[in-house]
Amino acid sequence: MEDSKYKYRYLAKVVIGAVTPLSIGSGTKDIMTDSIILKDCNGLPYIPGTSIAGVLRHYIDEANNQLSDKISEDKRETKYFGYQLPFKDKSSQGSEIIFSDAKMVGTDGKAIDGLKKRSDLNTDYLQRYVDLPVRQHVKINHRGVTDNHGKFDEQIVYAGTRFCFEIELLASEKEISAKNFKQVLDVLQSGFFRIGGGTRKGFGAIEVKKNLLETAFLDFESKEEKFKGCLKEYISKSSNLSEDWDGYNKYPFEYSKSDILTTWQKYILVLEPEDFMMFGSGFADNEVDMTPVKGFKVVWKDDKSPEVQDNKILIPATSLKGAIRHRVAFHWNKITGDRKECDKNDAVLALFGPEGSEKDCKNQKRGNVIFSDIIEDKSGTSEKILNHVAIDRFTGGAIDGALFSEKTIYAKGKKFVTEIYVNTSAFEDKDGNIIKAFEDTLDDIKNGLLPLGGGVNRGNGIFGGDWSKQ
């Protein structure tokens, strides 16, 4: 290793769990849905290493205030991810950090890596991933009806699904590389890190399973006894994620999580239903015309024996986001005296991003607020069928087509907690009116003045609760 530029290796084996559903799209659709989940050779969802690397690099640049186009690639702190300057400079550098694809973790707690026999995949748990759930979406305009071209759906991966991947950092300088390696692990565990699509509408939140996190540091030129044989150990390491490697135990990297500097403001919102709530699925069943949407979640026992549990209470982040978006426009107009609708409202554009032109989506930008789906057990709640009918005032009978029933959830006394992140540095707010409009909206939810979900004009969706900053 005397002629090698990279004398050291920092390695980590990371197991992440999906806190909310994931949307790792393949870019294709079929007869059932508008967006299909990306799957590997075994027909199981996976996360490409390029997706992990790209999102991590963005978050680290953001944490270091280096997202500006004026900062040259070779001057960024993330230059170890690799860069290429204009050809005239003939300056470039390959990536010094390597990410494997994140493979799904099976019932034995190990990654399912490599082509498997069909019999190995024929378990109750893995068969649940053959037909994944489809989440319905609809955009509601200021008149309370579906906006033009605002109806679509997409396939999602269950919340609670676990994935395993490895990180390897090639290092020539020990201290600088140790700092970079630690920062990558810190960002993964920051809480505001999101992966995949739909990160602004409730998807993509992950958590690192700390008890399953393994790290290692190798020094190929050290004469110290503790590094004796590390090169041989490194060469014998398999790239198969399902195989254990003794090097994580023999050459551990002393890592402890620390808080990173961030521009994201965290809000904790506690929702307490007054009585009935209804977040519709868009489908009927054999009892009613309208049913509540169901949540799915994978539950693990001692990091093994996962089970997909369905029929949970789901409060979609999109329902919360849509209501807040409209009310922010109202409060902004009230504060400033403007009379702008949502799509042109300054506060809405700053917080939730512009949609761009309808034809080519030009000038479209993602929002600066992150929401998360709420998935909870039904304990402490009950379902209630409510019948509705519109009466003809002249005949005293039911109006044709106006007799229907819905299945609502009675959840008085139950608390639902969610986190909302706002990137306060991404927009200019000299007078603080944008944040004030947002926080006034949270006050409306707390005071029961902003109902959520469906059927709000007939008594559903009144919430109390509280909110706080962290």
Side-chain angles (χ1 to χ4, degrees), residues 321-367:
K321 176 183 177 181
I324 289 178
R325 182 174 180 268
H326 282 283
R327 188 55 63 91
V328 163
F330 166 79
H331 280 295
W332 170 264
N333 289 340
K334 179 181 176 182
I335 293 169
T336 62
D338 283 347
R339 301 177 64 88
K340 296 179 180 177
E341 296 179 3
C342 266
D343 294 341
K344 299 178 181 179
N345 188 277
D346 294 348
V348 170
L349 295 177
L351 291 170
F352 301 96
E355 298 180 2
S357 60
E358 188 173 330
K359 292 183 179 180
D360 56 7
C361 296
K362 188 178 181 180
N363 297 322
Q364 185 183 60
K365 293 182 181 179
R366 69 176 184 175

mmCIF file of all heavy atoms in Angstrom, residues 321-367:
data_model
loop_
_atom_site.group_PDB
_atom_site.id
_atom_site.type_symbol
_atom_site.label_atom_id
_atom_site.label_comp_id
_atom_site.label_asym_id
_atom_site.label_seq_id
_atom_site.Cartn_x
_atom_site.Cartn_y
_atom_site.Cartn_z
ATOM 1 N N LYS A 321 -51.317 19.288 4.702
ATOM 2 C CA LYS A 321 -50.608 20.294 3.908
ATOM 3 C C LYS A 321 -51.575 21.161 3.100
ATOM 4 O O LYS A 321 -51.430 22.388 3.052
ATOM 5 C CB LYS A 321 -49.623 19.595 2.964
ATOM 6 C CG LYS A 321 -48.884 20.520 2.018
ATOM 7 C CD LYS A 321 -47.982 19.735 1.083
ATOM 8 C CE LYS A 321 -47.290 20.651 0.088
ATOM 9 N NZ LYS A 321 -46.417 19.882 -0.851
ATOM 10 N N GLY A 322 -52.567 20.524 2.462
ATOM 11 C CA GLY A 322 -53.507 21.275 1.639
ATOM 12 C C GLY A 322 -54.299 22.291 2.437
ATOM 13 O O GLY A 322 -54.477 23.437 2.012
ATOM 14 N N ALA A 323 -54.776 21.868 3.618
ATOM 15 C CA ALA A 323 -55.557 22.789 4.457
ATOM 16 C C ALA A 323 -54.696 23.942 4.956
ATOM 17 O O ALA A 323 -55.121 25.104 4.963
ATOM 18 C CB ALA A 323 -56.153 22.017 5.632
ATOM 19 N N ILE A 324 -53.467 23.632 5.382
ATOM 20 C CA ILE A 324 -52.562 24.677 5.870
ATOM 21 C C ILE A 324 -52.203 25.651 4.746
ATOM 22 O O ILE A 324 -52.144 26.867 4.951
ATOM 23 C CB ILE A 324 -51.297 24.038 6.480
ATOM 24 C CG1 ILE A 324 -51.646 23.357 7.813
ATOM 25 C CG2 ILE A 324 -50.206 25.080 6.689
ATOM 26 C CD1 ILE A 324 -50.483 22.655 8.477
ATOM 27 N N ARG A 325 -51.992 25.109 3.556
ATOM 28 C CA ARG A 325 -51.623 25.953 2.411
ATOM 29 C C ARG A 325 -52.692 27.013 2.144
ATOM 30 O O ARG A 325 -52.383 28.197 1.966
ATOM 31 C CB ARG A 325 -51.421 25.071 1.183
ATOM 32 C CG ARG A 325 -50.996 25.800 -0.088
ATOM 33 C CD ARG A 325 -50.687 24.769 -1.174
ATOM 34 N NE ARG A 325 -50.288 25.400 -2.410
ATOM 35 C CZ ARG A 325 -51.115 25.733 -3.391
ATOM 36 N NH1 ARG A 325 -52.422 25.516 -3.253
ATOM 37 N NH2 ARG A 325 -50.665 26.292 -4.499
ATOM 38 N N HIS A 326 -53.955 26.609 2.121
ATOM 39 C CA HIS A 326 -55.032 27.562 1.854
ATOM 40 C C HIS A 326 -55.176 28.578 2.987
ATOM 41 O O HIS A 326 -55.401 29.771 2.748
ATOM 42 C CB HIS A 326 -56.357 26.818 1.654
ATOM 43 C CG HIS A 326 -56.493 26.197 0.298
ATOM 44 N ND1 HIS A 326 -56.806 26.915 -0.823
ATOM 45 C CD2 HIS A 326 -56.344 24.910 -0.119
ATOM 46 C CE1 HIS A 326 -56.858 26.122 -1.877
ATOM 47 N NE2 HIS A 326 -56.575 24.898 -1.477
ATOM 48 N N ARG A 327 -55.020 28.115 4.234
ATOM 49 C CA ARG A 327 -55.200 29.033 5.355
ATOM 50 C C ARG A 327 -54.020 30.002 5.472
ATOM 51 O O ARG A 327 -54.204 31.144 5.908
ATOM 52 C CB ARG A 327 -55.385 28.249 6.647
ATOM 53 C CG ARG A 327 -55.774 29.097 7.860
ATOM 54 C CD ARG A 327 -57.036 29.927 7.605
ATOM 55 N NE ARG A 327 -58.206 29.114 7.362
ATOM 56 C CZ ARG A 327 -59.046 28.689 8.294
ATOM 57 N NH1 ARG A 327 -58.843 29.021 9.566
ATOM 58 N NH2 ARG A 327 -60.101 27.969 7.962
ATOM 59 N N VAL A 328 -52.813 29.579 5.089
ATOM 60 C CA VAL A 328 -51.673 30.494 5.071
ATOM 61 C C VAL A 328 -51.945 31.653 4.118
ATOM 62 O O VAL A 328 -51.627 32.812 4.415
ATOM 63 C CB VAL A 328 -50.380 29.746 4.672
ATOM 64 C CG1 VAL A 328 -49.285 30.727 4.254
ATOM 65 C CG2 VAL A 328 -49.874 28.881 5.819
ATOM 66 N N ALA A 329 -52.540 31.350 2.964
ATOM 67 C CA ALA A 329 -52.879 32.412 2.009
ATOM 68 C C ALA A 329 -53.851 33.407 2.639
ATOM 69 O O ALA A 329 -53.711 34.629 2.475
ATOM 70 C CB ALA A 329 -53.486 31.806 0.746
ATOM 71 N N PHE A 330 -54.826 32.889 3.382
ATOM 72 C CA PHE A 330 -55.795 33.763 4.048
ATOM 73 C C PHE A 330 -55.097 34.681 5.054
ATOM 74 O O PHE A 330 -55.326 35.899 5.073
ATOM 75 C CB PHE A 330 -56.854 32.912 4.753
ATOM 76 C CG PHE A 330 -57.697 33.676 5.740
ATOM 77 C CD1 PHE A 330 -58.742 34.470 5.313
ATOM 78 C CD2 PHE A 330 -57.423 33.611 7.097
ATOM 79 C CE1 PHE A 330 -59.515 35.180 6.226
ATOM 80 C CE2 PHE A 330 -58.184 34.315 8.017
ATOM 81 C CZ PHE A 330 -59.229 35.107 7.579
ATOM 82 N N HIS A 331 -54.233 34.109 5.895
ATOM 83 C CA HIS A 331 -53.585 34.920 6.933
ATOM 84 C C HIS A 331 -52.594 35.917 6.330
ATOM 85 O O HIS A 331 -52.441 37.036 6.846
ATOM 86 C CB HIS A 331 -52.889 34.010 7.945
ATOM 87 C CG HIS A 331 -53.826 33.426 8.957
ATOM 88 N ND1 HIS A 331 -54.504 34.191 9.874
ATOM 89 C CD2 HIS A 331 -54.205 32.147 9.198
ATOM 90 C CE1 HIS A 331 -55.262 33.410 10.632
ATOM 91 N NE2 HIS A 331 -55.102 32.167 10.245
ATOM 92 N N TRP A 332 -51.920 35.525 5.254
ATOM 93 C CA TRP A 332 -51.016 36.466 4.596
ATOM 94 C C TRP A 332 -51.793 37.662 4.048
ATOM 95 O O TRP A 332 -51.392 38.822 4.220
ATOM 96 C CB TRP A 332 -50.254 35.767 3.469
ATOM 97 C CG TRP A 332 -49.484 36.705 2.590
ATOM 98 C CD1 TRP A 332 -49.877 37.243 1.401
ATOM 99 C CD2 TRP A 332 -48.197 37.264 2.858
ATOM 100 N NE1 TRP A 332 -48.916 38.079 0.889
ATOM 101 C CE2 TRP A 332 -47.862 38.117 1.771
ATOM 102 C CE3 TRP A 332 -47.279 37.126 3.896
ATOM 103 C CZ2 TRP A 332 -46.672 38.812 1.712
ATOM 104 C CZ3 TRP A 332 -46.087 37.827 3.826
ATOM 105 C CH2 TRP A 332 -45.788 38.651 2.754
ATOM 106 N N ASN A 333 -52.913 37.390 3.414
ATOM 107 C CA ASN A 333 -53.746 38.476 2.891
ATOM 108 C C ASN A 333 -54.264 39.357 4.023
ATOM 109 O O ASN A 333 -54.353 40.583 3.891
ATOM 110 C CB ASN A 333 -54.921 37.904 2.098
ATOM 111 C CG ASN A 333 -54.473 37.289 0.778
ATOM 112 O OD1 ASN A 333 -53.398 37.588 0.281
ATOM 113 N ND2 ASN A 333 -55.298 36.424 0.224
ATOM 114 N N LYS A 334 -54.600 38.725 5.135
ATOM 115 C CA LYS A 334 -55.112 39.477 6.276
ATOM 116 C C LYS A 334 -54.035 40.386 6.872
ATOM 117 O O LYS A 334 -54.299 41.543 7.233
ATOM 118 C CB LYS A 334 -55.615 38.496 7.337
ATOM 119 C CG LYS A 334 -56.158 39.155 8.593
ATOM 120 C CD LYS A 334 -56.614 38.090 9.596
ATOM 121 C CE LYS A 334 -57.072 38.737 10.897
ATOM 122 N NZ LYS A 334 -57.467 37.710 11.896
ATOM 123 N N ILE A 335 -52.796 39.864 6.954
ATOM 124 C CA ILE A 335 -51.698 40.627 7.554
ATOM 125 C C ILE A 335 -51.256 41.776 6.658
ATOM 126 O O ILE A 335 -51.024 42.902 7.114
ATOM 127 C CB ILE A 335 -50.510 39.692 7.852
ATOM 128 C CG1 ILE A 335 -50.882 38.693 8.959
ATOM 129 C CG2 ILE A 335 -49.280 40.494 8.276
ATOM 130 C CD1 ILE A 335 -49.862 37.570 9.125
ATOM 131 N N THR A 336 -51.138 41.504 5.364
ATOM 132 C CA THR A 336 -50.554 42.478 4.430
ATOM 133 C C THR A 336 -51.590 43.312 3.682
ATOM 134 O O THR A 336 -51.248 44.322 3.063
ATOM 135 C CB THR A 336 -49.689 41.752 3.387
ATOM 136 O OG1 THR A 336 -50.516 40.861 2.615
ATOM 137 C CG2 THR A 336 -48.588 40.952 4.075
ATOM 138 N N GLY A 337 -52.850 42.867 3.702
ATOM 139 C CA GLY A 337 -53.866 43.595 2.949
ATOM 140 C C GLY A 337 -53.956 43.166 1.498
ATOM 141 O O GLY A 337 -54.711 43.761 0.722
ATOM 142 N N ASP A 338 -53.200 42.128 1.102
ATOM 143 C CA ASP A 338 -53.284 41.612 -0.260
ATOM 144 C C ASP A 338 -54.602 40.873 -0.474
ATOM 145 O O ASP A 338 -55.302 40.526 0.480
ATOM 146 C CB ASP A 338 -52.116 40.656 -0.545
ATOM 147 C CG ASP A 338 -50.817 41.412 -0.801
ATOM 148 O OD1 ASP A 338 -50.887 42.628 -1.002
ATOM 149 O OD2 ASP A 338 -49.742 40.776 -0.772
ATOM 150 N N ARG A 339 -54.888 40.574 -1.748
ATOM 151 C CA ARG A 339 -56.091 39.798 -2.084
ATOM 152 C C ARG A 339 -55.717 38.748 -3.122
ATOM 153 O O ARG A 339 -56.388 38.591 -4.146
ATOM 154 C CB ARG A 339 -57.192 40.712 -2.601
ATOM 155 C CG ARG A 339 -57.622 41.787 -1.618
ATOM 156 C CD ARG A 339 -58.670 42.710 -2.205
ATOM 157 N NE ARG A 339 -59.900 42.022 -2.508
ATOM 158 C CZ ARG A 339 -60.900 41.844 -1.641
ATOM 159 N NH1 ARG A 339 -60.779 42.296 -0.398
ATOM 160 N NH2 ARG A 339 -62.003 41.225 -1.990
ATOM 161 N N LYS A 340 -54.640 38.023 -2.850
ATOM 162 C CA LYS A 340 -54.110 37.055 -3.819
ATOM 163 C C LYS A 340 -54.570 35.640 -3.489
ATOM 164 O O LYS A 340 -54.577 35.231 -2.337
ATOM 165 C CB LYS A 340 -52.584 37.098 -3.825
ATOM 166 C CG LYS A 340 -52.000 38.418 -4.291
ATOM 167 C CD LYS A 340 -50.474 38.387 -4.242
ATOM 168 C CE LYS A 340 -49.886 39.704 -4.716
ATOM 169 N NZ LYS A 340 -48.396 39.708 -4.613
ATOM 170 N N GLU A 341 -54.951 34.899 -4.540
ATOM 171 C CA GLU A 341 -55.306 33.498 -4.371
ATOM 172 C C GLU A 341 -54.053 32.672 -4.114
ATOM 173 O O GLU A 341 -52.921 33.157 -4.259
ATOM 174 C CB GLU A 341 -56.039 32.994 -5.612
ATOM 175 C CG GLU A 341 -57.368 33.687 -5.867
ATOM 176 C CD GLU A 341 -58.053 33.175 -7.112
ATOM 177 O OE1 GLU A 341 -57.520 32.248 -7.741
ATOM 178 O OE2 GLU A 341 -59.118 33.708 -7.460
ATOM 179 N N CYS A 342 -54.260 31.398 -3.775
ATOM 180 C CA CYS A 342 -53.144 30.529 -3.351
ATOM 181 C C CYS A 342 -51.980 30.511 -4.335
ATOM 182 O O CYS A 342 -50.831 30.705 -3.952
ATOM 183 C CB CYS A 342 -53.657 29.097 -3.153
ATOM 184 S SG CYS A 342 -54.117 28.734 -1.454
ATOM 185 N N ASP A 343 -52.284 30.266 -5.607
ATOM 186 C CA ASP A 343 -51.218 30.049 -6.585
ATOM 187 C C ASP A 343 -50.365 31.288 -6.834
ATOM 188 O O ASP A 343 -49.288 31.192 -7.420
ATOM 189 C CB ASP A 343 -51.812 29.567 -7.910
ATOM 190 C CG ASP A 343 -52.448 28.187 -7.779
ATOM 191 O OD1 ASP A 343 -52.108 27.485 -6.814
ATOM 192 O OD2 ASP A 343 -53.286 27.837 -8.637
ATOM 193 N N LYS A 344 -50.854 32.465 -6.381
ATOM 194 C CA LYS A 344 -50.104 33.697 -6.577
ATOM 195 C C LYS A 344 -49.757 34.383 -5.262
ATOM 196 O O LYS A 344 -49.188 35.472 -5.269
ATOM 197 C CB LYS A 344 -50.908 34.654 -7.463
ATOM 198 C CG LYS A 344 -51.213 34.101 -8.855
ATOM 199 C CD LYS A 344 -52.058 35.063 -9.663
ATOM 200 C CE LYS A 344 -52.390 34.494 -11.034
ATOM 201 N NZ LYS A 344 -53.247 35.411 -11.828
ATOM 202 N N ASN A 345 -50.079 33.732 -4.162
ATOM 203 C CA ASN A 345 -49.869 34.325 -2.851
ATOM 204 C C ASN A 345 -48.401 34.233 -2.451
ATOM 205 O O ASN A 345 -47.770 33.180 -2.571
ATOM 206 C CB ASN A 345 -50.745 33.587 -1.830
ATOM 207 C CG ASN A 345 -50.736 34.249 -0.477
ATOM 208 O OD1 ASN A 345 -49.840 34.023 0.320
ATOM 209 N ND2 ASN A 345 -51.741 35.074 -0.222
ATOM 210 N N ASP A 346 -47.826 35.333 -1.977
ATOM 211 C CA ASP A 346 -46.394 35.392 -1.677
ATOM 212 C C ASP A 346 -45.984 34.383 -0.605
ATOM 213 O O ASP A 346 -44.938 33.730 -0.715
ATOM 214 C CB ASP A 346 -46.008 36.805 -1.216
ATOM 215 C CG ASP A 346 -46.170 37.828 -2.322
ATOM 216 O OD1 ASP A 346 -46.361 37.415 -3.482
ATOM 217 O OD2 ASP A 346 -46.114 39.043 -2.038
ATOM 218 N N ALA A 347 -46.768 34.257 0.450
ATOM 219 C CA ALA A 347 -46.430 33.330 1.532
ATOM 220 C C ALA A 347 -46.519 31.883 1.061
ATOM 221 O O ALA A 347 -45.675 31.051 1.408
ATOM 222 C CB ALA A 347 -47.347 33.553 2.728
ATOM 223 N N VAL A 348 -47.529 31.589 0.271
ATOM 224 C CA VAL A 348 -47.687 30.232 -0.264
ATOM 225 C C VAL A 348 -46.533 29.874 -1.186
ATOM 226 O O VAL A 348 -45.980 28.771 -1.131
ATOM 227 C CB VAL A 348 -49.038 30.091 -0.994
ATOM 228 C CG1 VAL A 348 -49.108 28.775 -1.756
ATOM 229 C CG2 VAL A 348 -50.182 30.192 -0.005
ATOM 230 N N LEU A 349 -46.143 30.797 -2.046
ATOM 231 C CA LEU A 349 -45.032 30.549 -2.970
ATOM 232 C C LEU A 349 -43.729 30.336 -2.204
ATOM 233 O O LEU A 349 -42.903 29.487 -2.582
ATOM 234 C CB LEU A 349 -44.886 31.714 -3.945
ATOM 235 C CG LEU A 349 -46.042 31.934 -4.920
ATOM 236 C CD1 LEU A 349 -45.800 33.171 -5.771
ATOM 237 C CD2 LEU A 349 -46.240 30.712 -5.804
ATOM 238 N N ALA A 350 -43.516 31.086 -1.127
ATOM 239 C CA ALA A 350 -42.286 30.960 -0.351
ATOM 240 C C ALA A 350 -42.243 29.641 0.417
ATOM 241 O O ALA A 350 -41.213 28.962 0.445
ATOM 242 C CB ALA A 350 -42.156 32.133 0.619
ATOM 243 N N LEU A 351 -43.348 29.258 1.013
ATOM 244 C CA LEU A 351 -43.374 28.061 1.852
ATOM 245 C C LEU A 351 -43.567 26.780 1.049
ATOM 246 O O LEU A 351 -42.899 25.769 1.305
ATOM 247 C CB LEU A 351 -44.484 28.175 2.894
ATOM 248 C CG LEU A 351 -44.280 29.208 4.001
ATOM 249 C CD1 LEU A 351 -45.559 29.384 4.808
ATOM 250 C CD2 LEU A 351 -43.124 28.808 4.914
ATOM 251 N N PHE A 352 -44.475 26.816 0.083
ATOM 252 C CA PHE A 352 -44.868 25.597 -0.608
ATOM 253 C C PHE A 352 -44.372 25.510 -2.044
ATOM 254 O O PHE A 352 -44.572 24.498 -2.710
ATOM 255 C CB PHE A 352 -46.393 25.448 -0.573
ATOM 256 C CG PHE A 352 -46.941 25.392 0.823
ATOM 257 C CD1 PHE A 352 -47.433 26.527 1.434
ATOM 258 C CD2 PHE A 352 -46.935 24.205 1.535
ATOM 259 C CE1 PHE A 352 -47.929 26.495 2.727
ATOM 260 C CE2 PHE A 352 -47.429 24.151 2.826
ATOM 261 C CZ PHE A 352 -47.921 25.297 3.429
ATOM 262 N N GLY A 353 -43.730 26.558 -2.523
ATOM 263 C CA GLY A 353 -43.128 26.538 -3.842
ATOM 264 C C GLY A 353 -44.109 26.840 -4.957
ATOM 265 O O GLY A 353 -45.292 26.522 -4.860
ATOM 266 N N PRO A 354 -43.624 27.460 -6.038
ATOM 267 C CA PRO A 354 -44.476 27.738 -7.199
ATOM 268 C C PRO A 354 -44.689 26.478 -8.037
ATOM 269 O O PRO A 354 -43.806 25.619 -8.126
ATOM 270 C CB PRO A 354 -43.671 28.790 -7.977
ATOM 271 C CG PRO A 354 -42.242 28.524 -7.609
ATOM 272 C CD PRO A 354 -42.266 28.020 -6.188
ATOM 273 N N GLU A 355 -45.863 26.364 -8.637
ATOM 274 C CA GLU A 355 -46.180 25.196 -9.457
ATOM 275 C C GLU A 355 -45.657 25.316 -10.881
ATOM 276 O O GLU A 355 -45.608 24.325 -11.606
ATOM 277 C CB GLU A 355 -47.685 24.981 -9.493
ATOM 278 C CG GLU A 355 -48.285 24.690 -8.125
ATOM 279 C CD GLU A 355 -49.781 24.485 -8.190
ATOM 280 O OE1 GLU A 355 -50.338 24.536 -9.313
ATOM 281 O OE2 GLU A 355 -50.395 24.270 -7.141
ATOM 282 N N GLY A 356 -45.270 26.497 -11.282
ATOM 283 C CA GLY A 356 -44.791 26.701 -12.640
ATOM 284 C C GLY A 356 -45.941 26.773 -13.629
ATOM 285 O O GLY A 356 -47.114 26.664 -13.281
ATOM 286 N N SER A 357 -45.597 26.925 -14.896
ATOM 287 C CA SER A 357 -46.621 27.012 -15.932
ATOM 288 C C SER A 357 -47.288 25.653 -16.126
ATOM 289 O O SER A 357 -46.678 24.609 -15.911
ATOM 290 C CB SER A 357 -46.008 27.481 -17.258
ATOM 291 O OG SER A 357 -45.014 26.569 -17.702
ATOM 292 N N GLU A 358 -48.553 25.672 -16.538
ATOM 293 C CA GLU A 358 -49.331 24.443 -16.647
ATOM 294 C C GLU A 358 -48.817 23.525 -17.748
ATOM 295 O O GLU A 358 -48.894 22.303 -17.639
ATOM 296 C CB GLU A 358 -50.803 24.793 -16.901
ATOM 297 C CG GLU A 358 -51.734 23.598 -16.841
ATOM 298 C CD GLU A 358 -53.189 24.009 -16.928
ATOM 299 O OE1 GLU A 358 -53.509 25.133 -16.480
ATOM 300 O OE2 GLU A 358 -53.993 23.226 -17.446
ATOM 301 N N LYS A 359 -48.263 24.094 -18.819
ATOM 302 C CA LYS A 359 -47.853 23.275 -19.959
ATOM 303 C C LYS A 359 -46.518 22.576 -19.732
ATOM 304 O O LYS A 359 -46.399 21.369 -19.881
ATOM 305 C CB LYS A 359 -47.782 24.147 -21.216
ATOM 306 C CG LYS A 359 -49.145 24.633 -21.691
ATOM 307 C CD LYS A 359 -49.011 25.426 -22.985
ATOM 308 C CE LYS A 359 -50.378 25.884 -23.476
ATOM 309 N NZ LYS A 359 -50.272 26.654 -24.739
ATOM 310 N N ASP A 360 -45.488 23.338 -19.367
ATOM 311 C CA ASP A 360 -44.145 22.759 -19.254
ATOM 312 C C ASP A 360 -43.563 22.823 -17.848
ATOM 313 O O ASP A 360 -42.406 22.460 -17.633
ATOM 314 C CB ASP A 360 -43.184 23.447 -20.230
ATOM 315 C CG ASP A 360 -43.157 24.971 -20.014
ATOM 316 O OD1 ASP A 360 -43.766 25.442 -19.037
ATOM 317 O OD2 ASP A 360 -42.529 25.659 -20.832
ATOM 318 N N CYS A 361 -44.361 23.276 -16.860
ATOM 319 C CA CYS A 361 -43.918 23.368 -15.453
ATOM 320 C C CYS A 361 -42.673 24.247 -15.302
ATOM 321 O O CYS A 361 -41.867 24.032 -14.384
ATOM 322 C CB CYS A 361 -43.646 21.978 -14.874
ATOM 323 S SG CYS A 361 -45.104 20.942 -14.784
ATOM 324 N N LYS A 362 -42.486 25.199 -16.200
ATOM 325 C CA LYS A 362 -41.338 26.086 -16.105
ATOM 326 C C LYS A 362 -41.418 26.916 -14.826
ATOM 327 O O LYS A 362 -42.478 27.345 -14.418
ATOM 328 C CB LYS A 362 -41.297 27.005 -17.332
ATOM 329 C CG LYS A 362 -40.033 27.843 -17.421
ATOM 330 C CD LYS A 362 -40.023 28.690 -18.684
ATOM 331 C CE LYS A 362 -38.756 29.517 -18.785
ATOM 332 N NZ LYS A 362 -38.737 30.348 -20.017
ATOM 333 N N ASN A 363 -40.256 27.118 -14.198
ATOM 334 C CA ASN A 363 -40.129 27.855 -12.933
ATOM 335 C C ASN A 363 -40.751 27.117 -11.747
ATOM 336 O O ASN A 363 -40.967 27.710 -10.688
ATOM 337 C CB ASN A 363 -40.753 29.247 -13.044
ATOM 338 C CG ASN A 363 -40.054 30.116 -14.082
ATOM 339 O OD1 ASN A 363 -38.833 30.062 -14.212
ATOM 340 N ND2 ASN A 363 -40.832 30.900 -14.816
ATOM 341 N N GLN A 364 -41.029 25.839 -11.922
ATOM 342 C CA GLN A 364 -41.549 25.038 -10.817
ATOM 343 C C GLN A 364 -40.436 24.770 -9.803
ATOM 344 O O GLN A 364 -39.307 24.464 -10.171
ATOM 345 C CB GLN A 364 -42.104 23.712 -11.337
ATOM 346 C CG GLN A 364 -42.773 22.858 -10.276
ATOM 347 C CD GLN A 364 -43.248 21.530 -10.839
ATOM 348 O OE1 GLN A 364 -42.459 20.749 -11.342
ATOM 349 N NE2 GLN A 364 -44.542 21.286 -10.760
ATOM 350 N N LYS A 365 -40.741 24.910 -8.520
ATOM 351 C CA LYS A 365 -39.766 24.643 -7.460
ATOM 352 C C LYS A 365 -40.441 23.895 -6.324
ATOM 353 O O LYS A 365 -41.627 24.092 -6.058
ATOM 354 C CB LYS A 365 -39.179 25.963 -6.929
ATOM 355 C CG LYS A 365 -38.318 26.718 -7.925
ATOM 356 C CD LYS A 365 -37.743 27.989 -7.295
ATOM 357 C CE LYS A 365 -36.895 28.755 -8.288
ATOM 358 N NZ LYS A 365 -36.345 30.005 -7.687
ATOM 359 N N ARG A 366 -39.669 23.050 -5.674
ATOM 360 C CA ARG A 366 -40.246 22.326 -4.553
ATOM 361 C C ARG A 366 -40.375 23.247 -3.344
ATOM 362 O O ARG A 366 -39.697 24.274 -3.242
ATOM 363 C CB ARG A 366 -39.393 21.107 -4.192
ATOM 364 C CG ARG A 366 -38.041 21.421 -3.593
ATOM 365 C CD ARG A 366 -37.347 20.139 -3.202
ATOM 366 N NE ARG A 366 -36.076 20.398 -2.541
ATOM 367 C CZ ARG A 366 -35.325 19.444 -2.010
ATOM 368 N NH1 ARG A 366 -35.719 18.197 -2.072
ATOM 369 N NH2 ARG A 366 -34.194 19.735 -1.425
ATOM 370 N N GLY A 367 -41.236 22.865 -2.428
ATOM 371 C CA GLY A 367 -41.521 23.700 -1.275
ATOM 372 C C GLY A 367 -40.456 23.630 -0.204
ATOM 373 O O GLY A 367 -39.526 22.817 -0.259
#
